[in-house]
Amino acid sequence: MARVALVTGGTRGIGAAISKALKAAGYKVAANYGGNDAAAEKFKSETEIPVYKWDVSSFDACSEGIKKVEAELGPIDVLINNAGITRDGAFHKMTLEQWSAVINTNLGSLFNMTRPVIEGMRARKFGRIINISSINGQKGQFGQVNYSAAKAGDIGFTKALALETAKAGITVNVICPGYINTEMVQAVPKDVLEKSILPLIPVGRLGEPEEIARTVVFLAADEAGAITGSTLSVNGGQYMA
């Protein structure tokens, strides 16, 4: 019987690539999204992957959403915490709203999504939790104190939970992408990309969403049970930790 995988932020960018790769690998996939109904419906019609809308920064919304997914697809075996936002700005000008929105969505969502599924995973003695952090959670980034703090927190969350769940057959790992060829990066002016970003990447190119997705499929596999608490950097050599 196919395992069930839930991907947050799973209808666009890196999340969409993850959802599609997991489906191709034989998983029953549910893709969560937060706000872009048009993109979600387009994704659903193109992939036939069911989509579910809720705010991952709300514990109650996550609990209800997960109940719906499990009622329709079955218990969640694989959880991909991918959803994230940015509210960039220099810290001395940062508002509480900018801080709270990013911390609650990019870090708080890991608790909100993982807590409702962890007991079921423990009871079944199997689980795969894969968190999508960022190169900027490893090295920091100007204008992203909130984002870097949240993404660094994702790494700490991963390591601690991995210790708690290892004997229950649950692995917890984190992937730290660098600059990936998504809509957000494509919006960067071409001259900035070519003069200021690409020269910092030893492989000389952006990563592709599918490269993150293949890393997720590898970690999600039943055969990856000895890999837990790991941080996988997928950044073209830009930052080596």
Side-chain angles (χ1 to χ4, degrees):
M1 188 173 180
R3 295 199 182 279
V4 177
L6 172 57
V7 185
T8 67
T11 64
R12 299 171 63 196
I14 290 172
I18 292 170
S19 296
K20 287 186 263 190
L22 286 168
K23 181 182 178 182
Y27 294 83
K28 289 165 62 177
V29 180
N32 153 269
Y33 74 102
N36 193 325
D37 295 321
E41 286 305 313
K42 183 173 184 290
F43 170 85
K44 180 180 178 181
S45 65
E46 291 176 348
T47 64
E48 297 184 342
I49 293 172
V51 299
Y52 299 84
K53 183 178 182 179
W54 72 79
D55 177 6
V56 294
S57 71
S58 164
F59 180 78
D60 290 342
C62 290
S63 296
E64 290 304 311
I66 287 167
K67 284 179 184 177
K68 184 175 182 181
V69 171
E70 293 195 322
E72 295 180 4
L73 300 183
I76 293 165
D77 301 300
V78 179
L79 172 63
I80 316 299
N81 287 310
N82 167 73
I85 62 171
T86 57
R87 297 289 186 271
D88 295 351
F91 184 75
H92 68 280
K93 296 181 180 179
M94 187 172 290
T95 66
L96 178 60
E97 187 281 329
Q98 288 174 299
W99 171 265
S100 298
V102 170
I103 295 296
N104 292 341
T105 299
N106 296 10
L107 177 57
S109 64
L110 269 63
F111 177 87
N112 297 339
M113 290 296 303
T114 307
R115 183 63 183 86
V117 303
I118 197 72
E119 291 184 51
M121 289 180 175
R122 290 175 66 89
R124 296 187 299 275
K125 299 294 183 184
F126 180 89
R128 296 286 184 265
I129 299 166
I130 303 165
N131 302 315
I132 308 300
S133 178
S134 167
I135 185 175
N136 293 339
Q138 296 174 296
K139 72 176 187 61
Q141 179 62 276
F142 185 93
Q144 287 196 329
V145 170
N146 50 3
Y147 185 83
S148 295
K151 291 300 187 179
D154 293 347
I155 297 171
F157 176 100
T158 297
K159 292 178 181 294
L161 187 59
L163 289 172
E164 292 189 17
T165 61
K167 289 184 179 179
I170 303 166
T171 66
V172 191
N173 294 288
V174 61
I175 298 170
C176 292
Y179 282 94
I180 305 298
N181 189 23
T182 60
E183 288 180 24
M184 183 172 67
V185 173
Q186 290 166 4
V188 175
K190 186 178 180 181
D191 61 324
V192 174
L193 188 66
E194 293 179 350
K195 295 178 181 178
S196 301
I197 295 176
L198 291 180
L200 300 176
I201 305 173
V203 301
R205 65 173 178 85
L206 300 175
E208 295 297 331
E210 291 75 18
E211 292 177 299
I212 306 299
R214 285 194 290 273
T215 309
V216 169
V217 172
F218 167 69
L219 291 173
D222 285 23
E223 297 81 2
I227 304 170
T228 194
S230 292
T231 303
L232 277 73
S233 298
V234 187
N235 59 37
Q238 183 180 351
Y239 183 79
M240 301 183 189

